[in-house]
């Protein structure tokens, strides 16, 4: 999407090329890439690559992997080459795939590939400091923030960039806002129980939200039935981290499996209003002052995923649709019962994230933001 003139953005629809083997190798191990692209339906080594259960090999897997990766990379390149301020790939967001194995319905980690591509973005040069005699200020490396709104922890992306006990700064920061509980996939580095059991002062100034003591790899665990109230309450902490990091580009993973009505039956999020999914995305797109790549993610109610991503596209364009918009007649129209409108309202489940817990989350994010400001400075 381009924003050359005031008013709504202009949309260009692209037909992306397939990714190349080299594109995949920019993150994934050669052995995994070779297996994914082999064209074989099954081998005796598949379990070692995670190719079983919810990631079973299938006919056409090679083309599928290249298509998913190629689409997200094409969207990222539009930003890198300054042809778009906001770029969208709703078929992306496969955040569970790891460097050497697939996982959680994710055969390739297009999120990581897109982040690596966006690191080639050329940010505007900083203004010379007053009295400086330097003709050309030193160019910054592009800073990329990954913000994951999926119900599930973005473990594959976090693992790709986490540096245990990191002592220096980084140009990539990942923050996953997710449900966390014992037995809930995937295993999260911090659960609500872990957070509440930890000392509020955090000891080292980072606290439990910094995975493996890395302030650039953050996890934000939520309790059951997280609603718009919860997201509105934690958002100042999220923005404090973003402000401290000052990204030039944000990769926003918009998984919709935390919406009310999803078969996961864990979240109670809605589309509209303060704290809703649309509200969060609008904040990033309109107020954070950087390029934005919107990716899809989890979502096991197809009608709700279609509703959500249509609504988010309208927000990205600067012309938000009314949530009372009627669904047009088409072959799948009966699936949109009973409302047959764009809205995905919250259900009746009680949000388990109380004010004490939410304040603790915001306080912990504030501590991390302080560390980031010191590192970035």
């Amino acid at each position: 999407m381009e924003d050359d003139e005031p008013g709504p953005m202009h949309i260009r629809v692209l037909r992306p090329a397939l990714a190349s083997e080299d594109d995949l190798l920019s993150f994934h191990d050669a052995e995994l890439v070779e297996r994914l692209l082999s064209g074989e339906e099954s081998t005796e080594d598949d379990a070692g690559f995670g190719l079983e259960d919810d990631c079973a090999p299938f006919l056409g897997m090679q083309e599928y992997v290249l298509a998913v990766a190629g689409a997200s990379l094409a969207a990222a390149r539009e930003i890198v080459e300054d042809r778009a301020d906001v770029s969208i790939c709703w078929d992306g967001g496969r955040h569970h795939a790891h460097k050497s194995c697939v996982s959680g319905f994710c055969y390739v980690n297009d999120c990581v590939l897109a982040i690596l591509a966006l690191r080639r973005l050329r940010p505007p040069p900083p203004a010379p400091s007053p009295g400086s005699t330097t003709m050309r200020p030193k160019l910054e490396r592009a800073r990329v923030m990954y913000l994951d709104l999926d119900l599930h922890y973005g473990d594959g992306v976090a693992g790709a960039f986490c540096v245990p006990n990191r002592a220096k700064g980084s140009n990539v920061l990942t923050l996953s806002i997710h449900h966390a509980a014992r037995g809930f996939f995937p295993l999260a580095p911090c659960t609500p129980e872990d957070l509440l059991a930890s000392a509020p002062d955090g000891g080292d100034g980072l606290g439990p939200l910094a995975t493996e003591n890395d302030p650039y790899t953050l996890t934000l665990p939520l309790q059951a039935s997280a609603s718009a109230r919860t997201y509105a309450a934690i958002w100042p902490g999220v923005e404090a981290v973003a402000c401290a990091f000052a990204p030039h580009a944000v990769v926003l993973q918009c998984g919709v499996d935390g919406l009310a009505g999803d078969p996961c039956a864990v979240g109670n999020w809605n589309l509209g209003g303060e704290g809703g999914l649309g509200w969060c995305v609008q904040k990033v797109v309109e107020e954070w002052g950087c390029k934005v790549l919107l990716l899809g993610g989890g979502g096991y109610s197809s009608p709700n995923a279609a509703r959500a991503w249509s609504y988010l596209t309208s927000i990205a364009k600067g012309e938000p649709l009314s949530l009372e918009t009627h669904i047009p007649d088409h072959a799948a129209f009966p699936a949109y019962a009973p409302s047959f409108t764009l809205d995905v309202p919250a259900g009746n489940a009680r949000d388990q994230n109380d004010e004490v817990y939410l304040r603790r989350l915001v306080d912990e994010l504030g501590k991390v933001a302080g560390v980031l400001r010191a590192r970035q400075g």
Side-chain angles (χ1 to χ4, degrees):
M1 295 185 177
E2 303 164 300
D3 191 16
D4 297 329
E5 301 175 3
M9 291 190 180
H10 304 286
I11 291 182
R12 286 184 295 111
V13 179
L14 304 179
R15 182 181 293 276
L18 296 178
S20 67
E21 181 177 349
D22 285 343
D23 288 331
L24 303 187
L25 289 170
S26 66
F27 170 59
H28 291 290
D29 280 345
E31 293 81 4
L32 174 62
V33 172
E34 181 181 5
R35 171 63 189 98
L36 292 173
L37 303 186
S38 68
E40 298 181 67
E41 193 166 350
S42 62
T43 73
E44 60 182 14
D45 298 323
D46 282 350
F49 294 119
L51 288 164
E52 56 185 353
D53 301 326
D54 56 9
C55 279
F58 60 93
L59 189 64
M61 181 172 66
Q62 174 185 11
E63 292 78 10
Y64 169 81
V65 166
L66 295 176
V68 170
S72 291
L73 283 171
R77 286 167 183 151
E78 291 300 300
I79 289 176
V80 171
E81 296 171 13
D82 203 24
R83 290 193 292 265
D85 296 305
V86 179
S87 203
I88 300 173
C89 177
W90 292 132
D91 203 35
R94 313 307 172 98
H95 60 170
H96 293 309
H98 294 272
K99 186 177 182 66
S100 58
C101 67
V102 303
S103 178
F105 301 109
C106 302
Y107 292 79
V108 61
N109 201 315
D110 64 288
C111 306
V112 172
L113 299 181
I115 292 168
L116 294 175
L118 288 170
R119 290 169 68 180
R120 295 193 286 272
L121 179 69
R122 297 186 64 181
S129 57
S132 172
T133 58
T134 303
M135 295 298 292
R136 292 186 178 181
K138 183 180 178 181
L139 293 177
E140 294 184 271
R141 291 190 305 161
R143 292 184 297 276
V144 182
M145 179 174 178
Y146 173 78
L147 179 57
D148 193 320
L149 302 179
D150 199 278
L151 178 70
H152 300 84
Y153 172 54
D155 57 334
V157 183
F161 296 102
C162 181
V163 175
N165 301 308
R166 189 193 298 267
K168 298 181 179 180
S170 173
N171 67 334
V172 175
L173 182 145
T174 69
L175 169 55
S176 180
I177 306 172
H178 58 91
H179 177 71
R182 291 181 180 178
F184 189 77
F185 176 86
L187 180 65
C190 179
T191 66
E193 292 78 11
D194 296 331
L195 178 61
L196 293 172
S198 65
D201 61 8
D204 57 7
L206 281 177
L209 302 189
T211 303
E212 297 195 55
N213 210 36
D214 180 359
Y216 293 88
T217 306
L218 305 176
T219 175
L220 198 63
L222 300 180
Q223 302 187 79
S225 303
S227 66
R229 176 185 66 83
T230 282
Y231 287 86
I234 64 174
W235 203 253
V238 173
E239 293 200 327
V241 168
C243 184
F245 182 65
H248 298 102
V250 171
V251 177
L252 186 55
Q253 200 267 20
C254 302
V256 295
D257 40 7
L259 291 173
D262 189 272
C264 288
V266 173
N268 193 27
W269 210 5
N270 57 283
L271 277 185
E274 183 180 12
L277 174 59
W279 181 86
C280 294
V281 171
Q282 191 165 19
K283 288 281 187 181
V284 176
V285 170
E286 295 185 359
E287 298 181 11
W288 284 21
C290 58
K291 305 274 191 177
V292 180
L293 171 59
L294 297 174
L295 300 178
Y300 305 95
S301 165
S302 294
N304 282 358
R307 286 174 162 121
W309 292 333
S310 296
Y311 182 54
L312 298 184
T313 300
S314 74
I315 287 174
K317 190 177 183 296
E319 295 181 310
L321 292 167
S322 167
L323 292 173
E324 299 305 312
T325 300
H326 291 285
I327 301 298
D329 195 10
H330 65 296
F333 184 74
Y336 292 82
S339 71
F340 299 102
T341 64
L342 189 63
D343 196 16
V344 180
N348 296 320
R350 186 171 69 86
D351 192 334
Q352 301 297 311
N353 298 275
D354 61 27
E355 291 185 11
V356 172
Y357 183 70
L358 294 172
R359 280 198 300 271
R360 179 69 189 278
L361 286 176
V362 174
D363 289 346
E364 293 292 339
L365 288 173
K367 289 192 296 187
V368 173
V371 173
L372 291 174
R373 282 192 293 271
R375 298 275 180 97
Q376 296 300 111

